[in-house]
């Protein structure tokens, strides 16, 4: 059976860039400006407060895991009132040792492992827009174990390090997003997968993007009337069914154009278009440049 979540992660092409230990004691607080890249942290011991812009503030406790697919500005602090120290992650050199905030001696109040990674996909912004802005998990031991393994691997220079890190981050993303699927989550890709009716349609689109799907056919796969399916899909995913199908087809097309020596008419066929000219028109309208120009610029990158 087609696994849309695994397909999205594979297309995002995650790769680890950096991870570090973070600790805090006494009165402390840091305010990070918007970073835009995916970030994560796991609480090894203790607790602290996290304020992510646009999200409800949370208390992080031992065993918690947080994933920010497009890291907005956020504040992290202890529990005492404080004016946070401002940090620009784009301008600040990455530290090579554990970062300690607040009191510099004595026991710590919290210890975390944090890090960020990049997505290799040129369509990352579109795919990330389908994910929750913040994933906060509690009591999922598998996630804590994976983050610890990422930290251990990143701190060493063993043979095959980059390959191992890439695989670990892929698994970490899948585990985090899989664990966060819930009907109470904001509209988006994960909420769609959590809906028994909508997920069936998503799986069909991912499993057979070549097929000339109609809303009526997808509604039939979902066991709903056309109007009921259209409303439910749009409300759950945040995109109309044909908008989602177009976005998925274009993401696949970008991957094909950028990574394979493949004829344009074959790319068109694989993503559901009857001719190269029809596909080129749709691609240019969606992406802002022709398939040939996109392929050349992507290979140059």
């Amino acid at each position: 059976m087609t696994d849309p979540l695994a397909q999205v992660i594979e297309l995002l092409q995650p790769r680890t860039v950096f991870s570090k230990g973070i600790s805090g004691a006494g009165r402390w607080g840091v305010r990070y400006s918007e970073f835009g890249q995916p970030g994560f942290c796991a609480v090894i011991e203790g607790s602290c407060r996290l304020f992510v812009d646009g999200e409800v503030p949370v208390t992080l406790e031992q065993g918690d895991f947080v994933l920010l697919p497009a890291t907005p500005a956020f504040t992290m602090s202890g529990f005492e009132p404080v004016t946070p120290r401002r940090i620009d992650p784009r301008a600040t050199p990455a530290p090579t040792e554990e970062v300690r905030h607040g009191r510099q001696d004595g026991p710590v109040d919290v210890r975390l492992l944090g890090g960020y990674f990049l997505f290799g996909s040129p369509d990352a912004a579109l795919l990330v827009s389908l994910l929750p802005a913040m994933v906060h998990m509690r009591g999922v031991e598998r996630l804590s174990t994976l983050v610890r393994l990422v930290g251990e691997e990143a701190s060493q220079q063993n043979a095959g390090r980059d390959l191992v890190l890439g695989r670990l981050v892929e698994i970490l993303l899948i585990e985090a997003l899989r664990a966060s699927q819930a009907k109470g989550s904001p509209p988006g890709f994960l909420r769609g997968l959590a809906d028994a009716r909508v997920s069936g349609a998503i799986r069909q689109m991912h499993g057979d993007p070549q097929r000339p799907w109609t809303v009526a056919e997808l509604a039939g796969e979902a066991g709903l009337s056309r109007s009921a399916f259209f409303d439910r899909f749009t409300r759950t995913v945040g995109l109309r069914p044909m908008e989602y199908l177009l976005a998925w087809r274009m993401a696949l097309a970008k991957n094909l154009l950028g990574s394979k020596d493949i004829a344009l008419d074959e790319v068109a066929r694989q993503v559901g278009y009857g001719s190269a000219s029809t596909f080129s028109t749709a691609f240019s309208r969606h992406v802002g440049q022709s398939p040939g120009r996109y392929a050349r610029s992507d290979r140059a990158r």
Side-chain angles (χ1 to χ4, degrees), residues 149-284:
L149 290 173
V150 168
E152 290 175 356
E153 191 67 30
S155 66
Q156 302 174 30
Q157 294 296 326
N158 293 330
R161 171 182 178 273
D162 290 344
L163 179 62
V164 171
L165 282 173
R167 296 297 183 267
L168 283 174
V169 170
E170 284 187 359
I171 297 170
L172 179 64
L173 272 171
I174 292 175
E175 285 289 341
L177 297 175
R178 183 167 65 182
S180 70
Q181 291 180 31
K183 293 182 179 179
S185 60
F189 176 65
L190 293 183
R191 186 171 172 182
L193 291 183
D195 185 297
R197 299 296 183 92
V198 172
S199 65
I202 291 176
R203 291 180 189 280
Q204 291 296 331
M205 285 187 273
H206 279 246
D208 193 2
Q210 301 175 23
R211 181 170 169 176
W213 291 105
T214 65
V215 174
E217 289 174 324
L218 291 169
E221 296 290 342
L224 296 169
S225 69
R226 185 186 183 282
S227 60
F229 168 74
F230 183 90
D231 291 342
R232 185 162 174 166
F233 190 101
T234 304
R235 186 176 62 255
T236 303
V237 178
L239 293 172
R240 295 189 291 269
M242 292 298 104
E243 287 179 328
Y244 181 88
L245 179 60
L246 174 63
W248 179 240
R249 283 173 168 169
M250 292 300 107
L252 292 175
K254 283 185 174 183
N255 187 57
L256 290 169
L257 289 167
S259 62
K260 297 180 179 180
D261 184 14
I262 183 172
L264 189 60
D265 56 353
E266 178 60 17
V267 175
R269 185 192 68 79
Q270 289 194 32
V271 297
Y273 289 87
S275 68
S277 61
T278 304
F279 165 70
S280 294
T281 300
F283 187 91
S284 299

Side-chain angles (χ1 to χ4, degrees), residues 30-37 39 51-53 68 70-76 84-92 116:
V30 287
R31 169 72 177 174
Y32 282 85
S33 57
E34 179 182 357
F35 185 48
Q37 303 297 343
F51 305 82
V52 177
D53 285 13
L68 302 173
T71 310
F74 69 91
T75 300
M76 186 174 285
R85 181 168 64 92
R86 293 186 173 273
I87 298 174
D88 182 352
R90 296 182 184 274
T92 304
Y116 66 86

